[in-house]
Amino acid sequence: MKTSIILPLIGYLLLVAGLSVFAMRKRREGNFLTEYFLGSRSMGGFVLAMTLTTTYISASSFIGGPGAAYKYGLGWVLLSMVQVPAVWLSLGILGKKFAILARRYNAVTLNDMLYARYRSPLLVWFASLSLLIAFIGAMTVQFVGGARLLETAAGIPYSTGLLIFGGSIALYTAFGGFRASVLNDAMQGLVMLIGTFLLLFAVVHAAGGMHSAVDKLQHIDPQLISPGGVDNILTPTFLASFSVLVCFGVIGLPHTAVRCISYKDSKAVHRGIVLGTIVVAVLMCGMHLAGALGRAVMPDLPIPDLVIPTLMIHVLPPLAAGIFLAAPMAAIMSTINAQLLQASATIVKDLFLRVRPQQMGNEPLLKKMSAMITLLLGLLLLLAAWNPPEMIIWLNLLAFGGLEAVFLWPLVLGLYWEKANAAGALSSMIVGAGCYTLLASLSLQPWGFHPIVPSLLLSLIAFVAGNLFGQAGKPATASTLFD
């Protein structure tokens, strides 16, 4: 166990705990569900940018993505930059209209919005169960990433690191709620930026400069510096699939969409778009480039996902490594707390209160339920992450794709197509989920495309076809939505 690395990390976790206590004290009076799950819709532009960025950038971006760049070369760095417009697309397409309607319907979750639009309890139940299943996979990835960081960088056994990491997140998310989540996101975004600059500079220095690093990569394998990457994995169809999966499709991710209904005003949206896009560009380029160039420093790592934590120890002084360890930890923690809160909101608001609406005003019960369900989910995820896969990026992308296949078209078309109805939305969800599950489980890639591409195409066709057989929404609903 490396004390010089662990001490700064302990300090960081204590700071996270302090912000959570501060958030609990700052909770506003009023509707508990709106405060606990949305922070009373009070985010400004800087916090909005940071929480969207840190929610989107996860263990896959700090562990899995650089691991893929280490394995496949500089071409993967270029590939990672297709993610830069993700914040701009999310806020630009959902943005103002989504937030205005959420306030009008007092929506706390994405499923609240879907019910307000389509008036279908069956659709909400299907959406809720799909979200919970996909989130189990997505959050398991984050827990694995955090435990691997502690194992490699701090010398803590994987199981012990998993207990420390998972327990900390479950506690501060359960008792701090959304306000604690976004305050920590703002701090974690700054930590991620500083850590990225620090590590990239140290890696380039250890490799003898950028020119020397590229020469070493070419000597190891010329394909490491080719646009197509090792084994020519980066084909045009792969690029198209990846762009849909990690950029355009992000609009349909529930934990991203809920950030788009929790900001304060229009000024916050405009500032969030600019700042968020810049931060994503810097972090994506910096971390993936560090992973690719890291092969020039350490060419023989058996597990690519270990490149970032191993580089931390190899190229940074112990104290600096301990400080930097907070950066990927921040990315992972911010993603988990967003997904944990969304999963908890789905169980409490979309499932329990739909069955027991008479409990809506029972705040003491809702407070206990929300905290305990969030805590219980965190503990269940510890068990799911106990035996990790070798490369977490593929599991993370699998969960991402499942959420997008279910939610993208019902969300976007519900906002912008007045004649969209529940039959079309439910058809889209079922076809998207079924097609994606079938293709992904059988490892099928029609015409070389990732399963998300045919799944989104078929779910769009199913939406239009199903819409022909359904009834239009209630007149009052349609008029308020499209007034």
Side-chain angles (χ1 to χ4, degrees):
M1 192 175 294
K2 303 164 185 175
T3 307
S4 57
I5 292 178
I6 293 174
L7 287 178
L9 178 62
I10 292 174
Y12 175 74
L13 292 176
L14 289 174
L15 182 57
V16 167
L19 279 175
S20 300
V21 172
F22 174 79
M24 290 175 68
R25 292 179 176 272
K26 287 290 183 180
R27 280 186 185 171
R28 298 182 179 181
E29 297 297 326
N31 186 286
F32 166 74
L33 293 175
T34 303
E35 168 60 28
Y36 186 81
F37 292 118
L38 293 179
S40 296
R41 309 184 203 271
S42 59
M43 279 195 296
F46 174 76
V47 175
L48 176 63
M50 286 303 184
T51 191
L52 266 174
T53 301
T54 53
T55 298
Y56 173 66
I57 292 178
S58 61
S60 183
S61 305
F62 266 77
I63 304 295
Y70 178 91
K71 182 175 182 178
Y72 298 114
L74 293 174
W76 196 279
V77 181
L78 295 176
L79 178 72
S80 71
M81 299 309 289
V82 303
Q83 302 172 74
V84 170
V87 171
W88 174 74
L89 281 172
S90 296
L91 284 175
I93 292 178
L94 300 179
K96 294 181 182 179
K97 188 168 188 176
F98 198 53
I100 289 169
L101 296 175
R103 284 164 169 78
R104 185 174 296 171
Y105 291 109
N106 196 28
V108 173
T109 66
L110 178 60
N111 288 330
D112 281 344
M113 292 290 292
L114 292 175
Y115 183 75
R117 176 63 180 90
Y118 297 112
R119 300 294 178 180
S120 170
L122 179 60
L123 184 148
V124 171
W125 277 92
F126 184 84
S128 299
L129 294 176
S130 300
L131 183 148
L132 292 172
I133 292 170
F135 267 7
I136 289 172
M139 289 189 286
T140 300
V141 167
Q142 311 308 320
F143 274 65
V144 171
R148 274 189 177 160
L149 271 176
L150 293 175
E151 177 188 29
T152 306
I156 298 174
Y158 176 85
S159 56
T160 305
L162 183 61
L163 290 172
I164 294 172
F165 176 76
S168 300
I169 293 178
L171 285 170
Y172 96 74
T173 306
F175 298 106
F178 186 87
R179 193 175 294 275
S181 174
V182 297
L183 283 176
N184 279 303
D185 285 352
M187 178 193 69
Q188 288 160 351
L190 294 174
V191 170
M192 288 156 62
L193 283 170
I194 295 169
T196 298
F197 280 115
L198 181 64
L199 182 66
L200 182 58
F201 175 81
V203 169
V204 172
H205 178 74
M210 181 66 76
H211 189 271
S212 174
V214 174
D215 284 345
K216 290 177 181 178
L217 291 179
Q218 186 174 22
H219 178 72
I220 294 169
D221 186 344
Q223 287 188 318
L224 287 171
I225 63 170
S226 70
V230 174
D231 299 329
N232 290 313
I233 187 175
L234 306 178
T235 61
T237 53
F238 188 96
L239 176 61
S241 300
F242 200 77
S243 301
V244 172
L245 185 61
V246 301
C247 187
F248 175 72
V250 171
I251 300 165
L253 293 178
H255 55 292
T256 300
V258 78
R259 260 60 183 164
C260 298
I261 65 176
S262 53
Y263 60 83
K264 184 167 53 178
D265 51 30
S266 296
K267 186 177 180 181
V269 176
H270 300 149
R271 187 175 296 172
I273 287 175
V274 175
L275 289 176
T277 302
I278 293 172
V279 173
V280 169
V282 171
L283 291 176
M284 286 298 168
C285 182
M287 288 309 303
H288 286 80
L289 187 58
L293 297 179
R295 190 151 182 182
V297 180
M298 301 174 303
D300 300 314
L301 282 180
I303 300 177
D305 276 357
L306 298 180
V307 61
I308 293 300
T310 308
L311 278 173
M312 287 164 43
I313 300 170
H314 191 82
V315 304
L316 294 173
L319 183 61
I323 294 171
F324 174 78
L325 181 58
M329 291 287 281
I332 297 167
M333 292 170 78
S334 58
T335 301
I336 292 179
N337 61 48
Q339 293 172 344
L340 263 180
L341 279 173
Q342 189 66 15
S344 178
T346 298
I347 294 172
V348 175
K349 183 71 168 60
D350 300 325
L351 298 180
F352 174 73
L353 288 179
R354 196 160 297 281
V355 176
R356 301 288 299 275
Q358 66 271 22
Q359 298 291 343
M360 181 68 76
N362 190 347
E363 283 206 2
L365 174 65
L366 295 179
K367 286 180 180 180
K368 289 179 183 178
M369 276 194 66
S370 300
M372 293 310 298
I373 286 174
T374 305
L375 188 60
L376 181 61
L377 283 171
L379 296 177
L380 290 175
L381 289 166
L382 285 176
L383 297 177
W386 208 257
N387 294 307
E390 182 178 316
M391 286 188 71
I392 61 175
I393 187 170
W394 306 121
L395 179 57
N396 194 57
L397 292 178
L398 181 68
F400 259 46
L403 289 168
E404 293 167 6
V406 171
F407 287 99
L408 181 63
W409 297 125
L411 178 58
V412 174
L413 294 180
L415 281 176
Y416 291 98
W417 187 19
E418 185 171 358
K419 295 182 179 180
N421 60 42
L426 191 56
S427 299
S428 175
M429 285 181 161
I430 294 172
V431 170
C435 179
Y436 188 78
T437 301
L438 179 65
L439 294 177
S441 60
L442 297 178
S443 300
L444 298 177
Q445 296 192 348
W447 304 287
F449 287 102
H450 186 277
I452 190 60
V453 176
S455 297
L456 286 180
L457 180 61
L458 289 175
S459 65
L460 176 59
I461 295 171
F463 197 119
V464 176
N467 214 71
L468 298 175
F469 300 98
Q471 296 180 347
K474 294 181 180 180
T477 305
S479 64
T480 52
L481 277 169
F482 296 95
D483 184 10

